[in-house]
Amino acid sequence: MLLVDDDDFIRLLIRENLEQLGYQVDVAQDGQEAWENIAVNPQSYDLVLLDKNMPRMDGITLLKLIKADERLMGLPVVVLTGAAEPENIIEGLAAGAYYYLIKPTTLELLARVINNALEEQRRKRELRNLVGQRQNNLNLLQRAEFSFRTLDEARDLALLLADVSMKPRETILGYSELLINAVEHGNLEISYAKKGQLLEEGHWEEEIENYLRLPAYADRTVKVLLDKRPDAVVVTITDQGNGFDWTKYIEFDAARAFDLNGRGIAMSRNVSFDSLEYHGKGNSVTATVLLRGRSDRINMNRPLQYIGTSNTKH
């Protein structure tokens, strides 16, 4: 990974701790040096950990450069900074940060965030590697109805929908997010807090499989309607759950910035789709992708150590 911070002490402390956890860590003193390192070989790093306030090029500028480069679109970026104001948190998340950590933090929390970011990136990479393989076979598809219930089926269907939408790399993660939400939060009624706990403990996917076997949920399915029009692909996803207050998740919220989950809907709306509309009680959502005239948007068995404590204000 690449660690970017202009504070010598913090750079040394974080690097030593992460290397003890088994990570290979390169360092840069500011965003400009980091960007020069990344641009030479975009495949060099699996994760970037950066400060916000730095000379020459600040962390948010670097983050936006990374997210605007197609070669780096999947690279997870974690912001570790002393800038704790809500507007700064929202700015970082909206720019594409996987997580926004406030200094000082513990090694335990930092390691957990990094582990989750790398695991999510692995799943996303697997999906991206599969997109486009069936696109030529789906050009004639105009209207279809699907039914599914498992996470594997959700990922398979996300690939198909992304191919039909003619913009697979843009839409694959958005479709995957909505379909998985329909299973876990919809049909299985796993709460936001419960998912955060499962992610923290590393049992999320295993527990989903356990829920799917329970009699109360065994017969529940998610229905998906696909309507491919001359100017747009419209997909409506409906689960059999009790719905939720979707208005809390349609935008980035600083109050959830320190949770391991809860940003997928806002990210899907901003990155994957031209419009995202929830209906009724929240158990049905319609995603639209325009085919013409689309706008560009784009071990812890050791004492906890505090990361980011320094005499500087960054």
Side-chain angles (χ1 to χ4, degrees):
M1 66 184 65
L2 178 63
L3 168 63
V4 191
D5 199 304
D6 61 326
D7 187 300
D8 294 341
F9 173 75
I10 291 178
R11 261 199 332 273
L12 177 63
L13 176 63
I14 296 176
R15 182 177 191 174
E16 287 183 349
N17 278 284
L18 292 179
E19 287 180 341
Q20 289 178 24
L21 294 176
Y23 295 111
Q24 181 179 339
V25 183
D26 289 346
V27 296
Q29 298 185 46
D30 56 39
Q32 182 64 42
E33 182 184 354
W35 180 244
E36 291 169 359
N37 291 346
I38 295 170
V40 169
N41 185 357
Q43 306 305 317
S44 295
Y45 301 108
D46 297 301
L47 183 140
V48 175
L49 178 64
L50 56 81
D51 189 15
K52 181 179 186 294
N53 301 317
M54 295 181 290
R56 294 207 299 169
M57 182 188 293
D58 64 81
I60 298 300
T61 300
L62 174 60
L63 172 58
K64 290 178 178 179
L65 281 175
I66 291 172
K67 295 304 174 181
D69 192 317
E70 188 172 335
R71 302 169 302 170
L72 302 168
M73 62 187 307
L75 180 64
V77 178
V78 174
V79 178
L80 177 61
T81 178
E85 295 77 10
E87 58 270 24
N88 290 320
I89 296 171
I90 292 174
E91 180 186 24
L93 295 177
Y98 171 81
Y99 203 87
Y100 196 102
L101 277 170
I102 302 299
K103 298 176 182 175
T105 189
T106 65
L107 175 62
E108 180 183 45
L109 177 57
L110 178 60
R112 186 164 68 237
V113 167
I114 290 173
N115 288 339
N116 277 279
L118 293 175
E119 177 59 23
E120 182 172 315
Q121 173 58 14
R122 181 192 64 78
R123 292 195 297 266
K124 288 179 177 180
R125 185 183 296 116
E126 290 175 351
L127 282 173
R128 285 197 175 106
N129 288 339
L130 292 171
V131 297
Q133 294 185 5
R134 297 170 294 190
Q135 194 166 7
N136 292 336
N137 300 326
L138 298 171
N139 289 337
L140 300 179
L141 184 61
Q142 292 185 322
R143 186 171 177 83
E145 181 176 346
F146 306 92
S147 177
F148 74 95
R149 59 183 301 273
T150 70
L151 294 185
D152 286 340
E153 291 168 344
R155 294 179 182 122
D156 286 343
L157 183 53
L159 288 167
L160 184 147
L161 295 174
D163 285 343
V164 172
S165 297
M166 309 297 289
K167 296 180 175 72
R169 293 187 67 83
E170 292 179 76
T171 58
I172 179 59
L173 299 182
Y175 284 128
S176 178
E177 177 72 26
L178 296 181
L179 295 174
I180 290 175
N181 278 351
V183 174
E184 61 179 5
H185 296 311
N187 284 355
L188 302 183
E189 301 177 0
I190 295 175
S191 68
Y192 178 88
K194 180 65 173 178
K195 179 175 181 179
Q197 177 188 340
L198 294 174
L199 286 172
E200 185 173 328
E201 296 171 351
H203 302 318
W204 171 68
E205 200 148 350
E206 175 186 344
E207 195 64 13
I208 294 293
E209 295 302 316
N210 292 335
Y211 270 72
L212 286 168
R213 288 190 286 267
L214 295 175
Y217 308 119
D219 295 329
R220 288 190 175 185
T221 60
V222 180
K223 302 294 185 184
V224 179
L225 291 177
L226 165 68
D227 184 10
K228 186 176 181 182
R229 306 168 185 174
D231 61 341
V233 173
V234 180
V235 174
T236 299
I237 302 164
T238 305
D239 62 64
Q240 294 182 272
N242 294 319
F244 73 114
D245 184 4
W246 53 269
T247 60
K248 296 179 179 179
Y249 302 96
I250 203 73
E251 301 284 356
F252 294 105
D253 186 349
R256 298 193 310 274
F258 310 117
D259 298 342
L260 292 176
N261 54 312
R263 295 177 289 274
I265 292 175
M267 192 67 70
S268 298
R269 177 172 177 260
N270 289 338
V271 175
S272 294
F273 306 120
D274 290 284
S275 70
L276 189 67
E277 181 182 1
Y278 278 86
H279 313 289
K281 60 183 181 180
N283 71 326
S284 182
V285 60
T286 297
T288 301
V289 178
L290 299 180
L291 298 180
R292 293 199 297 266
R294 184 173 196 268
S295 300
D296 287 329
R297 308 186 251 202
I298 282 271
N299 116 334
M300 297 297 128
N301 297 322
R302 43 189 293 209
L304 294 184
Q305 301 180 42
Y306 280 86
I307 302 297
T309 303
S310 172
N311 292 328
T312 69
K313 63 180 180 180
H314 299 303

